C-alpha cells in the first residue's frame, strides 16, 4: 500500500494550514468584532472567487456538458451508475478538498466571531454569524466524510458536487453589499446596484442551478427535473429539497425587500412615518 498522499490529501493539508495562517496575519492586535468580520469577509471573497474559477475549469476539463447531454439507452442502468455519477476526477477531488479545508477553518472563525459579538453586545447587519457558522459546520462535516470515501477510492458524484459549488459565485457580490451596508451606508445608489446584481447572480447560481442539475441529470434517462427529483434516494431528496426551499425562500424575500426599499419606497415610508 502506497504511503504517498494523493493531490486531494495534499490540498486538504495545505488548505487547513494556509487559511488559518492567512486569517491570523490579516488580523491586527486587539481587533474589534467589526474588524474581525472584515478579515473573515476578505478571505471569503478570495476563496469564493477562486473556487468559482476552479470549479468552472474542472467542469470544462471533465467535459461535463457532453456527459450531461448523453442519453443512456439502457433504462435498467441504476442512477448511481450513470456517467455523471461514476466519472472520477483528481482535479475535482482537489477542488472539493480545498473547499473542505476552508469551511473547517471558517466554521471555527464564525463561532468565535459570534462569541465576540455577544461580548460586545452588538451584531453586524446582513450577516447572521451564528446561523452561518452552523451552516458551514454542517457542510464541512459532510465534506469530511466525502474525503474519507475519496481516500478509499470510493467517491461518486464529484462532478455534481463541483456544479453545486458554483453557488460560490454569488458570495463576492454579497460580501461587497455587506461592506457597503455596514461601512458606507450613505452610498444608497451603490448599495441598490450591488443588491440588484447580487440578487440576479443568487437567483442564477443558487436557485436555477439546482433545477438545471436535476433537469440535466434526469435527461440522461428521459426524465424531467421533477421526475429526476422523485427518483432520488430519500436522503438526497431531503438535502436537495431543503437546499432548493431555503435558497428559493431567501431569494423571494430578497427580491421582495428590494422592490419595497428601492422601487416602491414602502420600507422607507414606513421608517419615516
Amino acid at each position: 500500500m502506497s504511503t504517498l498522499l494523493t493531490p486531494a490529501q495534499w490540498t486538504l493539508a495545505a488548505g487547513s494550514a494556509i487559511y488559518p495562517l492567512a486569517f491570523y496575519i490579516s488580523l491586527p492586535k486587539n481587533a474589534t468584532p467589526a474588524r474581525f468580520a472584515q478579515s473573515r469577509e476578505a478571505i471569503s471573497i478570495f476563496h469564493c472567487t477562486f473556487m468559482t474559477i476552479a470549479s468552472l475549469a474542472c467542469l470544462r476539463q471533465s467535459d461535463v456538458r457532453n456527459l450531461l447531454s448523453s442519453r443512456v439507452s439502457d433504462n435498467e442502468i441504476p442512477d448511481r451508475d450513470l456517467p455523471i455519477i461514476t466519472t472520477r476526477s483528481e482535479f475535482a477531488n482537489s477542488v472539493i478538498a480545498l473547499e473542505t479545508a476552508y469551511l473547517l477553518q471558517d466554521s471555527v472563525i464564525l463561532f468565535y466571531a459570534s462569541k465576540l459579538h455577544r461580548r460586545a453586545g452588538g451584531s453586524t447587519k446582513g450577516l447572521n454569524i451564528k446561523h452561518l457558522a452552523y451552516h458551514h459546520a454542517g457542510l464541512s462535516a459532510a465534506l469530511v466524510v466525502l474525503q474519507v470515501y475519496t481516500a478509499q477510492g470510493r467517491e461518486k458524484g464529484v462532478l455534481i458536487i463541483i456544479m453545486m459549488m458554483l453557488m460560490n459565485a454569488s458570495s463576492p457580490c454579497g460580501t461587497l453589499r455587506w461592506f457597503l451596508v455596514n461601512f458606507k451606508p450613505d452610498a444608497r445608489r451603490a448599495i441598490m446596484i450591488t443588491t440588484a446584481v447580487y440578487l440576479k447572480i443568487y437567483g442564477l447560481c443558487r436557485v436555477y442551478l439546482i433545477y438545471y442539475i436535476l433537469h440535466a441529470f434526469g435527461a440522461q434517462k428521459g426524465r424531467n427535473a421533477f421526475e429526476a427529483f422523485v427518483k432520488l434516494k430519500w436522503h438526497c431528496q431531503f438535502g436537495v429539497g431543503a437546499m432548493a426551499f431555503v435558497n428559493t425562500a431567501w431569494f423571494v424575500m430578497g427580491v421582495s425587500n428590494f422592490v419595497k426599499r428601492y422601487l416602491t419606497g414602502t420600507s422607507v415610508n414606513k421608517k419615516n412615518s
Side-chain angles (χ1 to χ4, degrees):
M1 182 177 178
S2 175
T3 58
L4 294 177
L5 295 179
T6 64
Q9 290 170 332
W10 275 115
T11 303
L12 180 63
S16 298
I18 292 173
Y19 277 122
L21 180 61
F23 181 77
Y24 176 78
I25 293 174
S26 70
L27 200 64
K29 292 182 179 179
N30 302 319
T32 63
R35 183 63 182 80
F36 194 92
Q38 286 179 28
S39 290
R40 184 262 164 191
E41 292 300 306
I43 292 176
S44 174
I45 287 179
F46 167 80
H47 172 78
C48 291
T49 302
F50 179 79
M51 293 306 291
T52 299
I53 296 171
S55 296
L56 288 171
C58 178
L59 292 173
R60 182 174 181 178
Q61 183 196 65
S62 303
D63 201 13
V64 72
R65 182 176 297 180
N66 285 336
L67 282 175
L68 288 173
S69 63
S70 61
R71 177 77 179 270
V72 177
S73 58
D74 186 0
N75 286 327
E76 297 301 319
I77 295 178
D79 290 353
R80 65 176 180 273
D81 292 332
L82 290 174
I84 192 61
I85 299 298
T86 58
T87 298
R88 301 176 69 181
S89 166
E90 200 63 63
F91 190 1
N93 290 342
S94 296
V95 173
I96 295 171
L98 185 61
E99 179 78 354
T100 305
Y102 170 77
L103 289 174
L104 284 170
Q105 65 85 35
D106 196 50
S107 300
V108 176
I109 289 172
L110 285 167
F111 280 119
Y112 188 67
S114 177
K115 185 177 180 179
L116 287 179
H117 276 263
R118 285 200 309 271
R119 286 179 181 175
S123 61
T124 305
K125 186 184 297 185
L127 187 64
N128 194 323
I129 296 175
K130 191 172 183 179
H131 287 178
L132 191 59
Y134 282 116
H135 175 255
H136 281 197
L139 285 177
S140 60
L143 290 180
V144 165
V145 173
L146 178 59
Q147 296 307 307
V148 175
Y149 279 90
T150 301
Q152 297 171 348
R154 297 194 296 144
E155 76 279 8
K156 281 192 173 185
V158 292
L159 294 183
I160 295 292
I161 295 173
I162 292 294
M163 293 176 72
M164 287 288 187
M165 284 170 56
L166 291 176
M167 292 182 183
N168 278 310
S170 68
S171 295
C173 193
T175 300
L176 175 59
R177 179 189 177 278
W178 168 86
F179 178 83
L180 291 173
V181 168
N182 282 277
F183 303 101
K184 301 287 183 180
D186 294 332
R188 179 177 170 82
R189 182 174 178 79
I191 293 174
M192 180 185 71
I193 294 173
T194 304
T195 302
V197 173
Y198 172 59
L199 287 172
K200 288 181 180 179
I201 298 175
Y202 189 98
L204 177 65
C205 297
R206 291 185 181 260
V207 179
Y208 173 74
L209 179 65
I210 298 174
Y211 165 81
Y212 173 79
I213 292 174
L214 286 172
H215 170 75
F217 177 70
Q220 292 193 308
K221 300 189 76 171
R223 302 168 185 161
N224 59 35
F226 178 75
E227 291 170 337
F229 176 77
V230 170
K231 291 292 185 178
L232 293 176
K233 293 183 179 180
W234 72 267
H235 49 86
C236 293
Q237 286 182 337
F238 177 80
V240 173
M243 187 186 308
F245 175 79
V246 171
N247 287 1
T248 302
W250 194 99
F251 177 70
V252 170
M253 288 189 295
V255 171
S256 176
N257 290 336
F258 178 84
V259 171
K260 290 177 181 178
R261 175 165 299 187
Y262 297 109
L263 301 185
T264 67
T266 304
S267 63
V268 175
N269 293 334
K270 285 183 178 180
K271 184 176 180 180
N272 294 331
S273 62

